[in-house]
Every structure is written in C-alpha cells, then in structure tokens.
Amino acid sequence: MNAYLDDLVAYRKKKNRLFKWKVVEAYRAERVQASELEEKLGISRTELRRLNRWYYRCRLLPLLHPKNRRKSMKREADYVEMLERKLADMEKENQYLRLQAEAYQTVIQIAEEQFHIPIVKKPGAKRPKN
C-alpha cells in the first residue's frame, strides 16, 4: 500500500479541509492514482475533480494572482465622481448627435433647393398599390 495513501486513510476519519487538501495535493503531485483514491477512500472521480477545482480556486489562485483578492470598497465620493464623468460624456455624445442630425437636415434642404428634388417624404404618404 502507498505511504501517502496510508496517511490519507488516517486523515479520513475527519472529513475536514485538511483531509481534502491532502487528497488533492497527493493527487496533483501524482503520488496517488485516482483509482486508488476511489478504492481505498471511496472518493469518486467526479468528487475528485470538484475538490481539485476547489483547491485551485481557494488555495492556488490567491497565490498566483494576489491582485484578485478582495478589492477594497470604493468610497462614495469616488463613485459619485465616476457617475458625473459618465454623465458628462453622455452629454457630449448627445450634443454631437444633435449637431450631426442638424447637419444632415441642412444638407438635405440645400440639395432640395439646388436640384429641385423632393428628398424628404411628406408625413402620411401612402405606398402605391400593386
């Protein structure tokens, strides 16, 4: 019997976090095969995959990406300032769109006057019947 597996059997009595970590660490280091864990400890491959994901998320990810730990709460003043900046940007965009629409109307009016072509449809115009 594998020495690591003997240690895991001893930890099996307490099904706590330490036991789970030991199981996953032994499996990740390839000291114990999944089939051996299934036979001796009764941990299915699905459960082992779930534990492996849990181990990665809780144990390894904070070490690999320390910035991904809890982010500090933004102060209300920062939040309000950000919203004010968004509002100012939206107002600039809205003003730009109004100017663009006005420019299109001017171009259409000039084209109608110079070329004597009706471009703008009259309201309530009906489609011809076929």
Side-chain angles (χ1 to χ4, degrees):
M1 188 177 215
N2 194 342
Y4 294 106
L5 199 55
D6 292 337
D7 292 340
L8 293 176
V9 170
Y11 280 110
R12 176 75 171 141
K13 293 176 186 174
K14 303 174 189 175
K15 197 171 187 179
N16 57 10
R17 182 180 291 180
L18 181 63
F19 169 72
K20 293 174 185 177
W21 282 0
K22 294 277 185 186
V23 167
V24 175
E25 285 174 350
Y27 176 70
R28 283 177 148 272
E30 296 180 357
R31 294 177 179 158
V32 179
Q33 297 296 321
S35 58
E36 292 175 336
L37 290 172
E38 196 168 358
E39 284 178 21
K40 301 293 179 183
L41 299 175
I43 297 174
S44 67
R45 291 177 195 258
T46 307
E47 178 73 10
L48 187 60
R49 278 191 232 111
R50 189 184 63 74
L51 287 175
N52 196 13
R53 284 192 306 267
W54 169 78
Y55 180 83
Y56 177 78
R57 189 174 54 248
C58 296
R59 184 93 167 176
L60 298 179
L61 196 60
L63 298 174
L64 296 173
H65 304 287
K67 293 178 185 175
N68 285 350
R69 291 185 186 178
R70 291 184 180 172
K71 294 181 179 179
S72 61
M73 293 281 290
K74 291 184 177 181
R75 296 182 312 194
E76 284 187 36
D78 293 340
Y79 183 68
V80 170
E81 187 178 314
M82 181 195 61
L83 289 177
E84 287 173 350
R85 274 189 267 127
K86 279 187 178 180
L87 184 61
D89 290 342
M90 288 174 63
E91 287 175 358
K92 286 180 186 176
E93 185 178 345
N94 195 9
Q95 183 180 7
Y96 170 75
L97 291 174
R98 270 195 242 125
L99 287 173
Q100 189 178 19
E102 187 178 332
Y104 283 137
Q105 289 296 327
T106 306
V107 167
I108 289 171
Q109 286 175 357
I110 291 172
E112 283 183 341
E113 289 173 6
Q114 285 184 356
F115 301 113
H116 306 291
I117 301 171
I119 298 173
V120 179
K121 284 188 173 183
K122 295 178 184 172
K126 295 182 180 178
R127 297 176 118 186
K129 293 183 179 179
N130 291 337

